[in-house]
Amino acid sequence: MSRRGYLGLGSNVGDRRANLQAVVQRLPRHGVTVMRCSSVYDTEPVGLVLDQPEFLNACIEIQTEHEPAELLAACKKVEQEVGRHSGGRARPPCDRC
């Protein structure tokens, strides 16, 4: 069954725009079709870790056959492919695809 949903994207390291574009380009390789992309926005960090660079954020509309757990696994694979490394610090949830 095909499912439609939305993913929030964010990057605050390196070439932030290129990082977001890399995620959008790689998702289809993992069974996630990107239907539409929002504009991108600079946002200040919020939450527990405020001493970090500003984020570039966007939202994408997706379509996939994946169940939720499979979608999460696909997103985590894409994160690894584009070079995201989990650090010891708490990260805001918008740092994930």
Side-chain angles (χ1 to χ4, degrees):
M1 175 204 311
S2 183
R3 294 171 172 81
R4 190 168 296 241
Y6 299 88
L7 296 176
L9 307 180
S11 178
N12 72 337
V13 295
D15 185 337
R16 300 174 305 155
R17 186 174 298 271
N19 292 339
L20 297 182
Q21 289 171 337
V23 168
V24 170
Q25 291 171 350
R26 283 177 170 80
L27 281 169
R29 299 178 197 164
H30 296 276
V32 181
T33 302
V34 178
M35 308 300 289
R36 294 187 294 172
C37 297
S38 73
S39 298
V40 295
Y41 300 92
D42 275 302
T43 57
E44 294 181 5
V46 296
L48 299 176
V49 182
L50 301 176
D51 64 334
Q52 58 182 325
E54 286 191 350
F55 285 84
L56 192 62
N57 294 110
C59 184
I60 58 175
E61 181 181 2
I62 62 159
Q63 191 164 336
T64 185
E65 299 286 328
H66 291 318
E67 295 287 336
E70 295 168 326
L71 176 59
L72 178 60
C75 288
K76 288 185 178 223
K77 284 180 187 174
V78 170
E79 285 182 330
Q80 290 174 344
E81 289 176 10
V82 298
R84 182 177 189 273
H85 303 287
S86 296
R89 293 171 28 156
R91 296 282 192 178
C94 59
D95 191 32
R96 294 218 157 124
C97 97

